[in-house]
C-alpha cells in the first residue's frame, strides 16, 4: 500500500489551510515523518515549493493521479506534534494561514540558508561508514544533489542514531568583530609617559598602570571598560599618545558572556508562601490551572516565579518564563540566571539568527530546561513543561501586530493546558481582561498586597502644570519637582525621571503657518532625530534633511516642536549643572547591550539622575532611588483609544513602583495638565482595585472589552477608492449575518490611513456571541486571496489591543 503524505504547502498568493496529498516515493517509505519539511511540485506549472508534512496516511480520498514528493529537506522533524497542533490552533484562532503559523513557530535560522552537516556516531554500520565517510569525517546533506536512494539510506541512519546532524547557519549578519586593546610601548616608555601625565588625569594614570603590569594581555575594549571603568575618551587619548593601538578582530559568538553570581532561594513572606504553595500544588499534581498573581510593585513576585520554577525543575520538568521585552529587563534575566545558571536559555531579538538557533537547539536537546524570552519565546521547543510564567501580563508587546496576530497569553494558556501545567500571569496592574476572568473564577487570584518587609508604597503627589505655566516661565520642571530633586541629590540618593512619549513625537512645525513636515508615503509626521540630524518616518523609514525654511510659507521660524529627552536633558543640565544625568531613550540604547550598560552604570551610582522614556518604567530594582518624577503624564491620555486610561494608569503605577524599594522611603511627583482625570487620581493612590472597578463600569456602559469581544477587519489597497469599496462590501456581508446585539463600528479610514503608499480602512465588530462569525470571516479572507498580492488585501485581527 502506497504511503501518502499530507503537506501544507507554502504558496504565498494562494494560501489554504488544507493540506495537499502527495505520494511518498517507495524508496522513502517509512522514512518520512510528520514535522519534516519537503519539496513538492504545486499547481499547473508544477512549481517547486516547500511544504510541511502534517500527516501520513495509507490511502487518499483524492481520486486522481497524485504527484510524488520531490525531496526531503530535513532528516528529522523540526516541529514536534505539540507545536504542529499549536500551529493549527494559531491559524484557527487568529485567522492566519497554517503555513504562516508554522513559520512563526520555527526559528528564523531554519528559514535562512544553512548547511546540514552529517557526522557518523560510534554505532554506525561498517558498510555505511565505508560508503559515506571513507574519505571525509563528515558530509553535507544536500537534498538536490543526493539520489533518492541515498536520502532514504541517510534517513534510516539518522532514525537509528547512526549519524547526527548539526546545522551550520550561513549567517546573514556579517561576522562578528570586536575592538581589542594592545600595548604599543615598552614598560620604560610607559613609565616615562606616566611621569608626564597631568596630576588630575586619574583615568590615564590608571590605564598606564594597567598597561605596565607584567601580566597585561591584549584585552577587548568592552571588557576593559567594564572591568576598570576607564572611559572611551581616555582610550582615545591613549591611542593618540601612542600608548596603545586599537584593532578590530573577528570573534566567535559571545566569547565574553558574563557569568552571573549564583543566588539562593529567599525565605518567603507569608503571602509569597501562600502563592508558592498554591502553584506548587498544581505542579505536583500535573494539573493545568491559570493564576493571576496580582502583586503591588516590589511585593516580591519574582521570588514567587523563581521558587515555583525551581519546583518544576526539581520534578524533572521544564519552565518557560515570558517577559515583555528582554532588552528592557536585564535585571530580570540576571535573576533567573542567578538561580538556574547554565540551565537557562535566553531568547531575544538582539541575538543573531545563528545565536538564536544555538539556543533553540539547546532547548530542543534538553540542555536548557529554563527558557526566558519575549513574545516569540512562547514557541520555545520545550518538552514536558511544568510551569509557564508571564511577567507583566498586561503589556501590549505580548500581542503580535502582524499575521498571525496572536497574543502570547493565549498561546501560554494553550500550552499550559496541553502539558497540564499551571500558568502564572503576574502584574501589579493586570489587564482588565485578565482581572475580569479572575473575577469570574476562570483564573485563581493570588494577591501580594504589601511590599517586602512592609515598606510602604511611595507617596505620590500630583502637580497641576496649568498653574505652573501661569506662574512661571515655560519649563519642563515644576518648582515642586525641582526642589525634591535637589533635596535627594543632597542626600546622595538617586532620581528617575520619565518623559511619557507614548502617542507623542518630536516633529517640526512652522510657527508662522502651522505647517508640519509629513512623510510623502505615509499619513504621519516625520520625527526629528538629533543623532543622525535628519527627519525620519517611523513607518516606512523615509529620511530627509531637517528643513530650515518652511516649504509652505518660506518662513525661517520652522522648528522642532514638542519635548524630547534630549531637550529635557539640556534643560536639566542648565538648571542643575552639578547633577550627573544618564539619558535612556531609543537613541542612546540602539546599540546592542547599551541598555544594560546604562542601567549598570546607574546601579553603581555613576549618575544621579536617570532620565528616560517609558522604557525605564519596567522592572528596575534600584534600592537607592527615592524619587520618581513623571514630567508629562497626559500625552498617553490623548490617544483616541478605549484603552488609553488603562495604559496611562498602568504606566504611572509601574514607574511609581521604581521609588523607595529598599529601606529608604520613596516619593513620586506626577506633572499633568489633567490633575482631575480618574486615571491620574487613582494612580496617585496606586489603588488598582478601585481603578479596575471604575474602568469596568465605563467599559460596561459603552460596550467595550472585556464586556464585548472585538474583531478588527482591515482592508488596504493602492488607491483609497479600492480600500473603501472593499471594506463596505465586507461590512454589508457581515451585517446580514449579525445578531441584533452586535455592534459594528465604521467602516472608517484608519487613524493613520496611509502607510507605505497603501490606503487603509477598517471596521470593528463588537459582539457577545456570534457562533457563525468565525466561518464567515474565514470565507471573506479566502475570497480576498483571489485578488492576489497587488490588489485588495484583507486582514483580520481578533481582540485587537487598540482600535486605532
Ligand atoms: P516585584 O517583581 O513584585 O516588583 P521583586 O520581586 O522585584 O518585586 O522584589 C522586590 C525586592 O524584594 C527585590 O529586591 C527582592 O530581592 C526582594 N525580596 C523579594 N522577596 C523577598 C523575601 N522573601 N525576603 C527578602 N527580600 C525579598
Ligand atoms: Zn513613511
Ligand atoms: Zn510656514
Amino acid at each position: 500500500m502506497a504511503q501518502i503524505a499530507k503537506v501544507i504547502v507554502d504558496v504565498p498568493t494562494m494560501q489554504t489551510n488544507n493540506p495537499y496529498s502527495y505520494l511518498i516515493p517507495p524508496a522513502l517509505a517509512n522514512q518520512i515523518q510528520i514535522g519534516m519539511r519537503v519539496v513538492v511540485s504545486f499547481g499547473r506549472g508544477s512549481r517547486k515549493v516547500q511544504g510541511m508534512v502534517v500527516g501520513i496516511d495509507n490511502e487518499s480520498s483524492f481520486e486522481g493521479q497524485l504527484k510524488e514528493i520531490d525531496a526531503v529537506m530535513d532528516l528529522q522533524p523540526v516541529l514536534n506534534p505539540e507545536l504542529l497542533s499549536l500551529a493549527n490552533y494559531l491559524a484557527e484562532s487568529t485567522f492566519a494561514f497554517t503555513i504562516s503559523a508554522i513559520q512563526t513557530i520555527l526559528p528564523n535560522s531554519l528559514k535562512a540558508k544553512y548547511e546540514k552537516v552529517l557526522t557518523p556516531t560510534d554505532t554506525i554500520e561498517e558498510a555505511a561508514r565505508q560508503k559515506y565517510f571513507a574519505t571525509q569525517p563528515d558530509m553535507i546533506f544536500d537534498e538536490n544533489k543526493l539520489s533518492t536512494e541515498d536520502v532514504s539510506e541517510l534517513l534510516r541512519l539518522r532514525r537509528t542514531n547512526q549519524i547526527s546532524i548539526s546545522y551550520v547557519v550561513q549567517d546573514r549578519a556579517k561576522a562578528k568583530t570586536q575592538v581589542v586593546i594592545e600595548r604599543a610601548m615598552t614598560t620604560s616608555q610607559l613609565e616615562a609617559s606616566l611621569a608626564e601625565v597631568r596630576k588630575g588625569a586619574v583615568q590615564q594614570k590608571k590605564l598606564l598602570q594597567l598597561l605596565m603590569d607584567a601580566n597585561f594581555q591584549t584585552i577587548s575594549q568592552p571588557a576593559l571598560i567594564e572591568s576598570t571603568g576607564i572611559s572611551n575618551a581616555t582610550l582615545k587619548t591613549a591611542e593618540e599618545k601612542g600608548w596603545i593601538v586599537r584593532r578590530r578582530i573577528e570573534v566567535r559568538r559571545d566569547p565574553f558572556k558574563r557569568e552571573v553570581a549564583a543566588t539562593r532561594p529567599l525565605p518567603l513572606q507569608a503571602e509569597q508562601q501562600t502563592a508558592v504553595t498554591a502553584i506548587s500544588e498544581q505542579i505536583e499534581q500535573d494539573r493545568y490551572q491559570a493564576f493571576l498573581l496580582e502583586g503591588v510593585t516590589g511585593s516580591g513576585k519574582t521570588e514567587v516565579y523563581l521558587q515555583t520554577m525551581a519546583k518544576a525543575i526539581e520534578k524533572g520538568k521544564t519552565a518557560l518564563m515570558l517577559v515583555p521585552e528582554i532588552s528592557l529587563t536585564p535585571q530580570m534575566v540576571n535573576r533567573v540566571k542567578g538561580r538556574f545558571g547554565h540551565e537557562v536559555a535566553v531568547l531575544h531579538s538582539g541575538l543573531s539568527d545563528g545565536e538564536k538557533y544555538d539556543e533553540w537547539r539547546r532547548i530542543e536537546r534538553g540542555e536548557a530546561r529554563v527558557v526566558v524570552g519575549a513574545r516569540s519565546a512562547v514557541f520555545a521547543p520545550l518538552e514536558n513543561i511544568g510551569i509557564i510564567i508571564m511577567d507583566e501580563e498586561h503589556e501590549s508587546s505580548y500581542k503580535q501586530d502582524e499575521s498571525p496576530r496572536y497574543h502570547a497569553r493565549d498561546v501560554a494558556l494553550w500550552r499550559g493546558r496541553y502539558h497540564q501545567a499551571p500558568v502564572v500571569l503576574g502584574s501589579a496592574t493586570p489587564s482588565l481582561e485578565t482581572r475580569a476572568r479572575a473575577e469570574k473564577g476562570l483564573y485563581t487570584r493570588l494577591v501580594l498586597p504589601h511590599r517586602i518587609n512592609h515598606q510602604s508604597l511611595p507617596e505620590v503627589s500630583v502637580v497641576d502644570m496649568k498653574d505652573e505655566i501661569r506662574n512661571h516661565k515655560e519649563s519642563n520642571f515644576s518648582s515642586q519637582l525641582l526642589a525634591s530633586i535637589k533635596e535627594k541629590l543632597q542626600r546622595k540618593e538617586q532620581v528617575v525621571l520619565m518623559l511619557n512619549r507614548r502617542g507623542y513625537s518630536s516633529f517640526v512645525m512652522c510657527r508662522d503657518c502651522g505647517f508640519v513636515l509629513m512623510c510623502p508615503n505615509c499619513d504621519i509626521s516625520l520625527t526629528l532625530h538629533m543623532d543622525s540630524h535628519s527627519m525620519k518616518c517611523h513607518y516606512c523609514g523615509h529620511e530627509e534633511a531637517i528643513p530650515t525654511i518652511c516649504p509652505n510659507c518660506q518662513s525661517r521660524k520652522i522648528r522642532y516642536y514638542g519635548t524630547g529627552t534630549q531637550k529635557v536633558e539640556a534643560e536639566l543640565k542648565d538648571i542643575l549643572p552639578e547633577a550627573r544625568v544618564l539619558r535612556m531613550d531609543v537613541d542612546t540604547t540602539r546599540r546592542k547591550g547599551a541598555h544594560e550598560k546604562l542601567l549598570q552604570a546607574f546601579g553603581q551610582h555613576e549618575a544621579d539622575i536617570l532620565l528616560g522614556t517609558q522604557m525605564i518604567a519596567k522592572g528596575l530594582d534600584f534600592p537607592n532611588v527615592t524619587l520618581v518624577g513623571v514630567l508629562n503624564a497626559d500625552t498617553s491620555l490623548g490617544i483616541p483609544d478605549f484603552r488609553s486610561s488603562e495604559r496611562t494608569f498602568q504606566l504611572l503605577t509601574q514607574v511609581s513602583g521604581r521609588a523607595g524599594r529598599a529601606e529608604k522611603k520613596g516619593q513620586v511627583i506626577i506633572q499633568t495638565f489633567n490633575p482631575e482625570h480618574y486615571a491620574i487620581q487613582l494612580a496617585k493612590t496606586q489603588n488598582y482595585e478601585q481603578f479596575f472597578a471604575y474602568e469596568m463600569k465605563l467599559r460596561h456602559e459603552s460596550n467595550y472589552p472585556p464586556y464585548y469581544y472585538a474583531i478588527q477587519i482591515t482592508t488596504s489597497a493602492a488607491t483609497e477608492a479600492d480600500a473603501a469599496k472593499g471594506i463596505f462590501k465586507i461590512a454589508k456581508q457581515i451585517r446580514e449575518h449579525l445578531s441584533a446585539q452586535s455592534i459594528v463600528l465604521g467602516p472608517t479610514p484608519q487613524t493613520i490611513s496611509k502607510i507605505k503608499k497603501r490606503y487603509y480602512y477598517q471596521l470593528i465588530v463588537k459582539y457577545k456571541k456570534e457562533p457563525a462569525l468565525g466561518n464567515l470571516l474565514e470565507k471573506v479572507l479566502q475570497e480576498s486571496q483571489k485578488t492576489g498580492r497587488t490588489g485588495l488585501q484583507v486582514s483580520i485581527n481578533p481582540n485587537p489591543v487598540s482600535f486605532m
Side-chain angles (χ1 to χ4, degrees):
M1 174 73 68
Q3 276 191 321
I4 292 172
K6 304 281 180 194
V7 179
I8 296 276
V9 290
D10 185 5
V11 190
T13 51
M14 250 186 63
Q15 301 199 44
T16 154
N17 285 345
N18 296 325
Y20 287 85
S21 294
Y22 286 88
L23 274 179
I24 296 180
L28 295 178
N30 299 317
Q31 305 293 356
I32 290 186
Q33 289 170 264
I34 291 173
M36 287 180 177
R37 290 168 303 161
V38 291
V39 177
V40 294
S41 343
F42 186 79
R44 246 178 281 146
S46 280
R47 204 149 45 98
K48 297 271 187 274
V49 297
Q50 280 190 24
M52 170 71 72
V53 178
V54 296
I56 294 175
D57 279 349
N58 282 326
E59 275 162 64
S60 167
S61 51
F62 188 76
E63 295 288 305
Q65 182 70 35
L66 288 183
K67 289 177 190 157
E68 274 193 359
I69 285 176
D70 285 307
V72 213
M73 294 175 62
D74 299 308
L75 290 176
Q76 63 190 32
V78 289
L79 285 186
N80 64 25
E82 184 212 347
L83 295 177
L84 271 176
S85 64
L86 178 56
N88 280 331
Y89 160 76
L90 271 192
E92 269 170 33
S93 61
T94 69
F95 300 95
F97 296 107
T98 313
I99 193 72
S100 69
I102 288 172
Q103 278 161 348
T104 300
I105 294 174
L106 282 175
N108 249 332
S109 48
L110 277 181
K111 288 167 257 166
K113 266 200 171 336
Y114 63 98
E115 276 174 352
K116 284 158 273 189
V117 181
L118 311 182
T119 2
T121 65
D122 294 342
T123 61
I124 191 164
E125 294 157 6
E126 198 44 41
R129 182 192 296 281
Q130 286 302 329
K131 186 166 180 200
Y132 298 109
F133 302 103
T135 58
Q136 53 188 11
D138 51 30
M139 68 178 284
I140 291 170
F141 177 83
D142 183 344
E143 66 267 17
N144 301 315
K145 292 201 180 125
L146 292 163
S147 71
T148 313
E149 285 68 34
D150 277 334
V151 170
S152 172
E153 175 69 359
L154 290 168
L155 279 166
R156 185 185 66 83
L157 293 172
R158 168 62 215 130
R159 211 162 37 83
T160 50
N161 281 323
Q162 299 186 53
I163 52 173
S164 67
I165 315 169
S166 52
Y167 294 76
V168 179
V169 176
Q170 298 168 352
D171 220 332
R172 274 170 297 183
K174 279 193 226 97
K176 202 171 163 188
T177 64
Q178 193 164 49
V179 176
V180 293
I181 311 269
E182 283 171 0
R183 189 162 73 177
M185 282 184 175
T186 62
T187 310
S188 54
Q189 284 173 321
L190 289 170
E191 267 166 11
S193 306
L194 183 62
E196 285 167 17
V197 169
R198 156 178 75 78
K199 234 185 174 169
V202 184
Q203 286 219 345
Q204 292 186 24
K205 283 186 185 163
K206 191 166 162 191
L207 178 62
L208 281 167
Q209 254 135 17
L210 213 79
L211 294 169
M212 281 155 33
D213 190 312
N215 293 325
F216 180 82
Q217 283 179 341
T218 301
I219 180 173
S220 92
Q221 175 165 307
L224 179 85
I225 291 175
E226 193 177 314
S227 61
T228 63
I230 287 170
S231 71
N232 206 343
T234 305
L235 293 174
K236 199 159 162 240
T237 312
E239 193 172 32
E240 281 161 12
K241 293 189 175 177
W243 306 342
I244 58 166
V245 283
R246 292 198 280 183
R247 280 198 310 127
R248 187 167 275 285
I249 59 162
E250 202 169 295
V251 286
R252 277 178 300 122
R253 283 178 207 158
D254 226 5
F256 294 102
K257 203 171 219 163
R258 214 165 348 96
E259 291 290 316
V260 179
T263 63
R264 305 212 35 81
L266 299 170
L268 296 174
Q269 311 262 308
E271 288 130 351
Q272 283 176 313
Q273 186 62 61
T274 309
V276 168
T277 306
I279 299 163
S280 300
E281 208 170 290
Q282 304 303 310
I283 299 174
E284 237 11 278
Q285 309 195 357
D286 302 312
R287 257 205 318 248
Y288 162 76
Q289 172 65 51
F291 291 93
L292 164 59
L293 181 63
E294 186 180 325
V296 298
T297 53
S299 59
K301 292 187 288 295
T302 309
E303 194 60 32
V304 173
Y305 302 152
L306 294 175
Q307 297 203 14
T308 49
M309 291 200 299
K311 190 67 93 200
I313 298 298
E314 228 169 77
K315 236 197 132 200
K317 300 198 168 197
T318 62
L320 173 59
M321 176 171 188
L322 302 169
V323 293
E325 209 174 323
I326 282 277
S327 65
L328 301 189
T329 46
Q331 285 191 323
M332 180 61 94
V333 173
N334 284 344
R335 283 160 89 174
V336 179
K337 278 189 180 163
R339 204 59 65 84
F340 300 103
H342 295 290
E343 293 265 28
V344 182
V346 182
L347 297 174
H348 63 93
S349 54
L351 298 178
S352 70
D353 280 351
E355 289 169 323
K356 241 182 247 169
Y357 184 66
D358 288 351
E359 291 293 75
W360 196 81
R361 289 283 291 161
R362 278 183 62 219
I363 301 164
E364 203 202 9
R365 285 197 297 255
E367 291 166 16
R369 294 195 296 154
V370 177
V371 173
V372 189
R375 184 179 62 227
S376 63
V378 76
F379 302 117
L382 283 169
E383 290 186 13
N384 199 12
I385 294 177
I387 188 169
I388 303 176
I389 309 261
M390 184 178 228
D391 189 31
E392 311 285 10
E393 69 85 32
H394 62 277
E395 280 291 329
S396 55
S397 63
Y398 282 126
K399 166 99 179 181
Q400 174 152 299
D401 56 14
E402 56 191 51
S403 180
R405 297 183 163 76
Y406 69 92
H407 197 299
R409 191 197 296 128
D410 299 328
V411 180
L413 293 168
W414 186 95
R415 294 195 80 182
R417 230 172 273 129
Y418 185 96
H419 289 272
Q420 287 299 301
V423 178
V424 180
L425 310 172
S427 177
T429 52
S431 63
L432 255 66
E433 279 84 349
T434 296
R435 180 65 186 78
R437 285 185 171 189
E439 191 88 8
K440 276 185 159 180
L442 292 171
Y443 304 159
T444 303
R445 184 161 160 254
L446 302 167
V447 186
L448 306 179
H450 308 293
R451 285 192 151 186
I452 291 295
N453 296 330
H454 291 258
Q455 174 62 259
S456 52
L457 283 169
E459 195 179 291
V460 184
S461 44
V462 173
V463 176
D464 187 346
M465 289 304 273
K466 294 196 293 288
D467 296 341
E468 283 292 317
I469 297 288
R470 238 175 270 132
N471 299 337
H472 304 272
K473 66 173 182 359
E474 214 165 304
S475 163
N476 287 302
F477 299 91
S478 62
S479 36
Q480 190 183 340
L481 179 57
L482 209 53
S484 289
I485 296 176
K486 283 181 184 157
E487 182 198 321
K488 305 297 174 199
L489 296 192
Q490 247 156 35
R491 281 195 285 182
K492 301 263 178 291
E493 293 168 0
Q494 286 172 290
V495 178
V496 167
L497 295 177
M498 183 180 80
L499 188 66
N500 186 359
R501 305 255 324 191
R502 206 164 249 162
Y504 196 84
S505 65
S506 10
F507 51 100
V508 160
M509 190 174 88
C510 174
R511 306 266 157 125
D512 281 339
C513 76
F515 175 85
V516 171
L517 199 61
M518 305 289 282
C519 174
N521 309 319
C522 312
D523 192 17
I524 59 165
S525 55
L526 295 175
T527 305
L528 181 75
H529 281 254
M530 278 319 273
D531 52 342
S532 56
H533 286 278
S534 63
M535 307 292 304
K536 282 186 202 161
C537 171
H538 280 184
Y539 284 89
C540 74
H542 170 86
E543 189 171 354
E544 59 184 76
I546 303 171
T548 49
I549 295 174
C550 171
N552 188 43
C553 76
Q554 272 70 46
S555 155
R556 290 192 169 277
K557 285 198 184 147
I558 181 160
R559 56 183 64 121
Y560 183 34
Y561 197 86
T563 303
T565 38
Q566 283 159 321
K567 206 172 148 198
V568 175
E569 186 187 22
E571 192 186 340
L572 203 53
K573 282 192 170 143
D574 223 32
I575 320 175
L576 294 169
E578 68 282 6
R580 296 168 301 167
V581 180
L582 272 182
R583 176 165 62 91
M584 195 151 107
D585 55 22
V586 279
D587 288 329
T588 62
T589 55
R590 192 165 300 147
R591 287 221 336 264
K592 194 173 162 181
H595 189 101
E596 196 170 352
K597 288 215 182 75
L598 281 175
L599 291 182
Q600 214 166 21
F602 190 62
Q604 288 162 3
H605 207 156
E606 284 164 30
D608 308 301
I609 300 175
L610 179 65
L611 164 69
T613 54
Q614 53 271 19
M615 65 170 72
I616 61 171
K618 285 177 200 140
L620 307 186
D621 187 22
F622 294 119
N624 198 38
V625 171
T626 52
L627 172 65
V628 165
V630 179
L631 299 176
N632 54 342
D634 312 271
T635 46
S636 53
L637 283 178
I639 301 174
D641 189 65
F642 76 95
R643 255 187 251 267
S644 64
S645 294
E646 184 184 354
R647 295 252 175 274
T648 303
F649 177 82
Q650 285 164 344
L651 182 61
L652 293 178
T653 310
Q654 291 287 330
V655 74
S656 301
R658 302 311 117 213
R661 292 171 71 85
E663 301 82 43
K664 297 170 197 161
K665 178 135 181 59
Q667 186 192 357
V668 179
I669 296 176
I670 297 175
Q671 301 186 152
T672 173
F673 287 93
N674 296 286
E676 305 81 23
H677 193 285
Y678 70 97
I680 288 175
Q681 279 303 318
L682 292 171
K684 183 178 168 185
T685 51
Q686 294 166 82
N687 192 331
Y688 172 80
E689 285 301 316
Q690 216 178 329
F691 175 80
F692 172 72
Y694 191 80
E695 182 73 16
M696 283 296 271
K697 203 174 88 207
L698 295 185
R699 300 276 179 98
H700 185 59
E701 281 164 8
S702 41
N703 303 330
Y704 277 122
Y707 288 98
Y708 270 67
Y709 295 108
I711 284 193
Q712 181 183 38
I713 301 150
T714 307
T715 57
S716 77
T719 70
E720 188 163 8
D722 284 348
K725 233 188 312 178
I727 199 78
F728 277 97
K729 188 175 155 217
I730 294 171
K732 185 160 171 281
Q733 259 173 305
I734 291 177
R735 280 208 176 93
E736 280 166 9
H737 289 86
L738 286 184
S739 69
Q741 205 186 18
S742 295
I743 301 158
V744 176
L745 302 178
T748 54
Q750 261 180 2
T751 313
I752 293 157
S753 64
K754 187 184 171 200
I755 300 171
K756 293 182 192 165
K757 297 193 172 156
R758 289 184 70 86
Y759 291 85
Y760 287 79
Y761 270 73
Q762 72 168 29
L763 173 73
I764 284 162
V765 184
K766 295 196 288 183
Y767 64 97
K768 277 197 185 275
K769 208 167 159 223
E770 289 291 351
L773 185 61
N775 280 336
L776 180 66
L777 290 175
E778 198 67 57
K779 247 187 21 224
V780 167
L781 208 56
Q782 292 296 345
E783 269 168 37
S784 78
Q785 286 282 297
K786 292 182 190 140
T787 60
R789 298 216 117 177
T790 47
L792 185 77
Q793 278 177 25
V794 177
S795 77
I796 295 175
N797 189 5
N799 312 313
V801 292
S802 87
F803 283 0
M804 289 173 58

